[in-house]
Amino acid sequence: MKKQEGLIRSVLYKNLMEDYTPFPLDKKLAVKWAAGLNVPRGGRVIIYTSYMYQMASVFKSYEKYVPTLGSLGKSRILASIGSRFIKPSDEDVERSMKILQNIYRMVSRVKADVGYLYEEEPYSGSLLYELGFLDEFKEYGRKVLQFFREKGVEEIITVDPHTTNTLANLKKYINFDIPFRNYISMIGTVKGSGKFVMHDSCLYSRFLDMYDTVRDKAKSAGIELVEDPTVTGKGVGFCCGGPVGPLNDELSNNIARARAAALKSVYENVLVACPLCYVNLEPYCNVRDLAEVID
Amino acid sequence: MNWVEMISMVSAGNYNEVESILREYPYIVELADHLREQKMKVIENLGTYVDITMRNVEKLGGHAYLAKNKDDARKIAGEIVGENKTVVFSKTNAAYEVGLREYLESRHNEVWETDLGEYLVQISKGWPTHIVAPALDMTREDAAKAVRKIDPSINENSKVEDIVAAVRKFLMTKYVKADVGITGANAVAADSGAIALVENEGNIRIDTVMPQVHISITGIDKIVPTLRDAMDEVMVQAAYAGIYPPTYINVTAGPSSTADIELKRVSPATGPKDFHLILLDDGRMDASQNPDLKEALLCIKCGRCYFSCPIYRILGKDWVSTKSPYNGPTGVMWNYITNKDPWPASYCVHSGGCKEVCPMKINIPEVIKYIKYMGSKNL
């Protein structure tokens, strides 16, 4: 495990410092969602995807890819080859596009002229923070902050819990002073339907104080949530297994399997609000993202 | 039933039980909040509180020792116990931490765990699965198989009651000839030198009064300012462990004593003639001076955080245990404090459930983040 951690740190750090991405990725795929909506390039207020929805399945399998990524070295040609085979399936790309487009539409109803950095968008550095590489996290965070400043960004709208939590920690550690908000906290009246058991994002629920925010948004949209305090209570919301995936895929899957079993004991359809929760739980239960069931 | 299914069921049961206790006895939450403040006072000034505690133990006619590390603790206890004695242990994590049972056995002493769960672990040559329920991973059949070693009438069809009775019968033969009783302490009152212990089985009560020598070994983190705080700690611990009211709360302040003749307090009386308190440092003092780590010392070892933790609920004792008696989220912190081992922290998925259920409101994920960071410096 120690070896794996060391390898991840060097691969992550190298990729981030050189290219603002955690691994060589196909940016054309990642930004495709914005094309049909004529989202302005850049701007004072931006929507910040941090590639989380687009690359969720790759993040999940990071453990598998790390040895390959480590062997790619610094060659840009090799990195380019890497980006071609390390990519999500067409189905995953299609799904992430719909989610991001829906989030953008909901955000646009309450905020005008929200831009996007397209291929220039930097990854937030979540993985560095979550794996405890705090020195590298702070160093990369300063680079990201500088980049946003150079682009004239004055306000950030996040779309997932990991990026939101990362910005909160950058604020704490390096005084990241660009205001940010999560889309769920800012969208207005939305409509939705369906009956679900909620699997909370650990970060929204227990680190960003959004346990009620997410529920209230879903319920006010018309979604019925089935609760069982021993499964969906704030203190016992468990985890999808995602964060340990980079170190141990089997352990990650075992957590997901156990969580899915508990959720299914409450109700057959599961609702999440995080791209990593989705990819981890999806093999074991019927799961939808909040942004797939409200609009 | 496999481990994951069993721990899921137990965790849901613990959740319901604790929630019900907190509804029925709402003062517990107030006690917990006050206790946090009192424990923090000690952590901020741990050296002074150790001195006060030791002085007050001696004032009562007891003997107090400060063991700097595991080796020190083993030597102190070994000298008090001597050789060829019968020793009864109540469940004590500090003793596990220093490897005391094995050490005393190596000195030709007959040593028996008297907490049922710990006894099952001992005769199975296992390792505790949970800080409050050490044999949590054993089914009735597993327990029966283990107890059959000391009572051939027990078999896989035996009822739980029969298994418990068989252990009781066996341990009674050890209690009556025990020379030394060794316990931990849920709390140590600095103002009086008294220790408080909470239990349900009655074994601690016997361990602390029947043998003529009582040794309590516990961490310096268990020191609280007053005896009132010590009583608060045992009540809070019991409530958050899910058994309230506890069947027994024991206070020991020095060796047995009586003031029945002319109101003059003399020792010993019926109970132990000697009381020894071994206060264990083993990394705790350093932790108290580390702003990123000191909150861990607030832990009252109720074990509730284990149940909220996804990694513990999958890996069980394969996560931290066998390196440390402390497992689960608090075990990651305590394994680092006492063994300087950061690696179990790497598996933390920062679910955050631990901090939500902690009665001491310890920001466990933040402490673990620091430990992860310390580990990453050695990659």
Side-chain angles (χ1 to χ4, degrees):
Chain A
M1 185 171 69
K2 197 171 165 180
K3 192 178 163 194
Q4 176 79 357
E5 275 187 71
L7 188 56
I8 288 174
R9 183 173 65 180
S10 64
V11 168
L12 253 182
Y13 180 71
K14 180 178 76 66
N15 278 286
L16 289 173
M17 295 307 283
E18 283 179 7
D19 199 33
Y20 290 103
T21 58
F23 42 79
L25 57 82
D26 188 337
K27 290 189 178 178
K28 279 186 187 155
L29 273 185
V31 305
K32 208 171 155 189
W33 69 270
L37 293 176
N38 294 319
V39 180
R41 184 172 287 270
R44 201 176 56 78
V45 183
I46 59 158
I47 192 162
Y48 184 28
T49 75
S50 192
Y51 305 102
M52 294 301 291
Y53 273 100
Q54 303 95 312
M55 297 293 155
S57 58
V58 182
F59 281 114
K60 174 174 167 46
S61 305
Y62 205 65
E63 182 200 12
K64 194 171 65 186
Y65 293 130
V66 160
T68 312
L69 294 168
S71 68
L72 286 176
K74 290 192 171 183
S75 161
R76 294 225 168 250
I77 298 166
L78 282 174
S80 158
I81 294 167
S83 72
R84 262 181 264 156
F85 68 84
I86 302 174
K87 64 182 184 184
S89 67
D90 292 346
E91 191 188 341
D92 288 341
V93 173
E94 192 64 27
R95 184 179 159 274
S96 75
M97 279 177 61
K98 284 183 183 162
I99 287 174
L100 290 172
Q101 286 168 349
N102 189 31
I103 291 174
Y104 186 81
R105 278 191 291 263
M106 289 189 286
V107 166
S108 295
R109 289 210 290 268
V110 291
K111 190 93 185 171
D113 301 324
V114 175
Y116 176 48
L117 291 172
Y118 288 83
E119 292 87 350
E120 290 184 290
E121 180 181 76
Y123 172 65
S124 70
S126 295
L127 268 174
L128 288 174
Y129 175 72
E130 290 168 15
L131 292 170
F133 307 142
L134 295 183
D135 290 334
E136 292 80 1
F137 173 67
K138 286 185 256 187
E139 184 185 351
Y140 177 65
R142 287 187 195 96
K143 191 174 156 79
V144 171
L145 175 59
Q146 182 59 28
F147 179 83
F148 280 137
R149 280 179 180 153
E150 283 168 10
K151 292 290 167 190
V153 174
E154 293 175 15
E155 189 180 337
I156 294 169
I157 297 162
T158 58
V159 300
D160 74 283
H162 290 266
T163 307
T164 315
N165 187 58
T166 296
L167 295 187
N169 279 287
L170 285 177
K171 187 176 176 182
K172 174 180 152 188
Y173 284 108
I174 65 156
N175 192 29
F176 186 95
D177 56 2
I178 302 173
F180 59 91
R181 278 194 291 174
N182 180 269
Y183 88 94
I184 300 170
S185 309
M186 66 179 289
I187 56 177
T189 306
V190 288
K191 286 181 183 167
S193 61
K195 184 175 174 182
F196 299 93
V197 54
M198 183 91 212
H199 167 75
D200 289 287
S201 143
C202 298
L203 299 176
Y204 277 158
S205 169
R206 292 174 288 275
F207 292 85
L208 295 163
D209 200 22
M210 289 174 61
Y211 178 82
D212 291 324
T213 311
V214 178
R215 279 176 166 65
D216 291 347
K217 187 54 66 183
K219 285 190 275 191
S220 69
I223 290 166
E224 185 182 347
L225 294 180
V226 188
E227 303 280 5
D228 174 341
T230 67
V231 176
T232 59
K234 192 173 178 183
V236 291
F238 217 67
C239 172
C240 67
V244 78
L247 294 178
N248 188 325
D249 194 41
E250 186 187 354
L251 177 58
S252 172
N253 290 334
N254 286 339
I255 293 173
R257 197 178 292 114
R259 181 58 179 162
L263 290 163
K264 284 191 285 188
S265 74
V266 180
Y267 194 66
E268 60 190 319
N269 296 322
V270 176
L271 188 63
V272 297
C274 168
L276 296 187
C277 290
Y278 179 90
V279 292
N280 276 279
L281 293 174
E282 192 270 336
Y284 310 107
C285 56
N286 298 324
V287 56
R288 305 289 298 278
D289 189 280
L290 179 68
E292 290 179 290
V293 297
I294 59 172
D295 59 29
Chain B
M1 192 183 289
N2 64 32
W3 162 253
V4 174
E5 290 163 346
M6 186 192 291
I7 191 67
S8 295
M9 185 186 73
V10 170
S11 299
N14 172 270
Y15 178 87
N16 286 330
E17 201 56 52
V18 175
E19 290 299 311
S20 158
I21 288 166
L22 298 182
R23 272 194 305 275
E24 200 169 343
Y25 305 94
Y27 61 83
I28 293 288
V29 176
E30 289 167 31
L31 293 186
D33 290 345
H34 180 66
L35 181 62
R36 182 190 155 96
E37 288 172 19
Q38 295 297 88
K39 284 180 77 74
M40 196 46 95
K41 282 182 195 166
V42 176
I43 292 166
E44 299 290 0
N45 213 348
L46 193 48
T48 303
Y49 275 98
V50 169
D51 291 343
I52 296 170
T53 305
M54 292 178 72
R55 212 163 43 235
N56 284 324
V57 170
E58 300 279 346
K59 217 158 91 180
L60 289 167
H63 307 280
Y65 314 81
L66 176 61
K68 279 290 175 200
N69 52 40
K70 296 176 179 69
D71 192 40
D72 213 7
R74 283 191 296 263
K75 279 183 189 153
I76 293 167
E79 279 175 26
I80 300 167
V81 173
E83 297 185 349
N84 303 307
K85 301 281 176 50
T86 299
V87 183
V88 282
F89 262 62
S90 75
K91 186 173 62 203
T92 150
N93 292 303
Y96 252 103
E97 181 183 324
V98 305
L100 187 56
R101 195 176 73 210
E102 294 79 1
Y103 178 73
L104 294 179
E105 283 169 343
S106 75
R107 288 167 58 90
H108 313 293
N109 294 293
E110 183 186 355
V111 185
W112 293 102
E113 296 284 356
T114 61
D115 172 84
L116 177 65
E118 207 68 85
Y119 174 79
L120 292 173
V121 172
Q122 180 186 15
I123 60 173
S124 310
K125 301 189 191 309
W127 192 261
T129 305
H130 185 271
I131 205 162
V132 174
L136 191 61
D137 57 339
M138 292 177 82
T139 60
R140 181 184 55 80
E141 290 80 2
D142 295 333
K145 194 175 162 192
V147 173
R148 192 175 165 76
K149 291 174 192 166
I150 53 119
D151 186 339
S153 73
I154 297 297
N155 59 52
E156 60 186 18
N157 298 318
S158 296
K159 291 187 294 186
V160 171
E161 289 82 350
D162 296 334
I163 299 168
V164 174
V167 174
R168 184 177 189 275
K169 188 174 153 195
F170 174 84
L171 287 177
M172 278 299 167
T173 66
K174 304 302 172 189
Y175 287 131
V176 293
K177 65 169 192 165
D179 303 291
V180 182
I182 298 183
T183 69
N186 291 99
V188 182
D191 67 346
S192 52
I195 66 165
L197 286 152
V198 63
E199 59 156 338
N200 299 294
E201 294 176 19
N203 64 306
I204 293 181
R205 191 154 286 193
I206 301 179
D207 291 340
T208 56
V209 297
M210 209 146 160
Q212 283 299 289
V213 177
H214 174 199
I215 302 172
S216 168
I217 174 167
T218 195
I220 52 177
D221 55 294
K222 294 294 182 70
I223 297 173
V224 290
T226 68
L227 184 51
R228 184 201 138 172
D229 299 321
M231 297 307 285
D232 285 355
E233 179 152 348
V234 292
M235 289 198 285
V236 173
Q237 200 269 2
Y240 281 88
I243 302 178
Y244 195 86
T247 312
Y248 303 105
I249 290 176
N250 304 285
V251 173
T252 299
S256 61
S257 64
T258 177
D260 278 0
I261 300 172
E262 296 181 348
L263 287 182
K264 186 187 173 197
R265 190 172 182 178
V266 295
S267 286
T270 310
K273 62 183 174 57
D274 288 313
F275 171 72
H276 303 267
L277 177 64
I278 303 172
L279 291 168
L280 179 63
D281 179 344
D282 203 28
R284 291 162 173 84
M285 193 66 82
D286 286 347
S288 76
Q289 287 153 14
N290 181 335
D292 294 306
L293 207 52
K294 68 180 179 187
E295 259 204 56
L297 300 176
L298 290 167
C299 177
I300 59 170
K301 313 287 193 308
C302 67
R304 199 180 181 209
C305 60
Y306 287 48
F307 299 127
S308 73
C309 176
I311 296 294
Y312 174 73
R313 282 174 52 172
I314 298 298
L315 293 181
K317 62 187 171 190
D318 292 336
W319 185 12
V320 185
S321 281
T322 72
K323 295 174 186 167
S324 166
Y326 314 109
N327 205 330
T330 197
V332 172
M333 302 192 295
W334 278 89
N335 183 47
Y336 185 71
I337 291 170
T338 58
N339 288 327
K340 303 288 176 282
D341 173 11
W343 301 113
S346 297
Y347 276 155
C348 172
V349 287
H350 56 78
S351 82
C354 48
K355 79 173 170 171
E356 294 295 327
V357 302
C358 176
M360 291 292 98
K361 298 187 168 67
I362 302 170
N363 193 341
I364 300 174
E366 195 65 17
V367 177
I368 293 180
K369 181 75 67 193
Y370 165 76
I371 297 170
K372 266 190 192 182
Y373 169 60
M374 294 309 285
S376 80
K377 282 174 169 287
N378 294 311
L379 288 174

Short mmCIF file of all heavy atoms in Angstrom, two decimals, chain A residues 17 35 79 184 224 258 280:
data_model
loop_
_atom_site.label_atom_id
_atom_site.label_comp_id
_atom_site.label_asym_id
_atom_site.label_seq_id
_atom_site.Cartn_x
_atom_site.Cartn_y
_atom_site.Cartn_z
N MET A 17 0.92 19.40 -11.91
CA MET A 17 1.80 20.56 -12.04
C MET A 17 2.11 20.86 -13.50
O MET A 17 2.34 22.01 -13.87
CB MET A 17 3.10 20.33 -11.25
CG MET A 17 2.90 20.22 -9.75
SD MET A 17 1.97 21.59 -9.00
CE MET A 17 3.22 22.87 -8.94
N ALA A 35 -20.84 22.38 -25.51
CA ALA A 35 -20.89 22.83 -26.90
C ALA A 35 -22.32 23.17 -27.35
O ALA A 35 -22.57 24.25 -27.91
CB ALA A 35 -20.29 21.76 -27.80
N ALA A 79 1.79 10.61 -23.15
CA ALA A 79 0.63 11.09 -22.40
C ALA A 79 -0.58 11.19 -23.31
O ALA A 79 -1.71 10.89 -22.93
CB ALA A 79 0.93 12.45 -21.77
N ILE A 184 -26.47 23.10 -5.85
CA ILE A 184 -27.70 22.71 -5.13
C ILE A 184 -28.15 23.82 -4.18
O ILE A 184 -29.34 24.03 -3.98
CB ILE A 184 -27.48 21.39 -4.35
CG1 ILE A 184 -27.10 20.26 -5.31
CG2 ILE A 184 -28.74 21.00 -3.57
CD1 ILE A 184 -26.64 18.98 -4.64
N GLU A 224 -40.08 11.87 -3.56
CA GLU A 224 -40.37 11.25 -2.27
C GLU A 224 -39.12 10.52 -1.79
O GLU A 224 -38.55 9.69 -2.52
CB GLU A 224 -41.53 10.25 -2.42
CG GLU A 224 -41.97 9.66 -1.10
CD GLU A 224 -43.08 8.63 -1.26
OE1 GLU A 224 -43.70 8.55 -2.36
OE2 GLU A 224 -43.32 7.90 -0.29
N ALA A 258 -21.74 -3.46 0.35
CA ALA A 258 -22.41 -3.44 1.66
C ALA A 258 -23.37 -2.26 1.74
O ALA A 258 -24.49 -2.39 2.27
CB ALA A 258 -21.37 -3.35 2.77
N ASN A 280 -19.65 4.15 -8.03
CA ASN A 280 -19.34 3.08 -7.07
C ASN A 280 -20.55 2.22 -6.76
O ASN A 280 -20.43 1.00 -6.62
CB ASN A 280 -18.76 3.67 -5.78
CG ASN A 280 -17.27 3.90 -5.93
OD1 ASN A 280 -16.48 2.99 -5.80
ND2 ASN A 280 -16.90 5.12 -6.28
#
